[in-house]
Amino acid sequence: MRVGVLNGPNLNLLGTREPEIYGRDTLADVEALVRREAAALGATIDWFQSNHEGALVERVQAWRGAVDGLLVNAAAYSHTSIALRDALAAVGLPFVELHLSNVHAREPFRHASMLAALARGTVGGFGARSYVLALHGLAGLLRGA
């Protein structure tokens, strides 16, 4: 099983950016955690982060036929990007939307997601563990469990 992990804007600043909200783990720490967990599940990870909406859209398109499913932390683009939503719809890959923080306990503009209605599930509020929980959920879906 191959899983693409899409990371949106400002996630490259994890560990130093508002650690009271996002935690102290860096994106490299999160990636290492996800890769370890994926290996235990017999999965491989294709990891990508960009601050640019177009680069995220292009990566989603490139994953069509190359991966079995996606974990998507689109960060702020979750709430604003019709282009990313349309790319996810176009490629038709199953995906789990995830967030480090509980977006529903934050500012009202973060309560709505452009992606959630397309996602097979959503996970948020568990810090770096949100990725692991999302990975387990996606693996179960892909295996039909």
Side-chain angles (χ1 to χ4, degrees):
M1 168 183 4
R2 285 198 64 192
V3 175
V5 183
L6 192 73
N7 297 282
N10 299 309
L11 291 171
N12 56 306
L13 299 177
L14 283 181
T16 59
R17 177 188 174 219
E18 299 175 278
E20 67 282 0
I21 295 173
Y22 300 109
R24 299 209 179 274
D25 292 316
T26 67
L27 191 59
D29 296 334
V30 176
E31 180 179 1
L33 173 67
V34 172
R35 288 189 184 282
R36 280 192 306 272
E37 199 68 27
L41 293 170
T44 60
I45 296 297
D46 189 351
W47 190 269
F48 184 75
Q49 187 276 327
S50 180
N51 294 319
H52 304 283
E53 184 178 32
L56 296 168
V57 168
E58 288 174 349
R59 181 54 62 111
V60 168
Q61 292 175 359
W63 276 330
R64 183 180 187 173
V67 299
D68 301 302
L70 304 172
L71 302 181
V72 178
N73 183 352
Y77 288 138
S78 301
H79 316 292
T80 64
S81 181
I82 295 168
L84 186 54
R85 182 210 181 279
D86 288 352
L88 289 162
V91 301
L93 289 165
F95 73 93
V96 175
E97 179 183 5
L98 71 101
H99 297 278
L100 295 163
S101 67
N102 177 356
V103 294
H104 301 290
R106 298 188 58 200
E107 305 92 339
F109 68 85
R110 295 186 196 276
H111 297 181
S113 168
M114 294 283 184
L115 314 180
L118 296 176
R120 297 292 301 271
T122 59
V123 176
F126 298 98
R129 298 287 304 160
S130 291
Y131 282 81
V132 172
L133 294 168
L135 176 62
H136 278 272
L138 181 64
L141 288 169
L142 293 174
R143 291 185 174 139

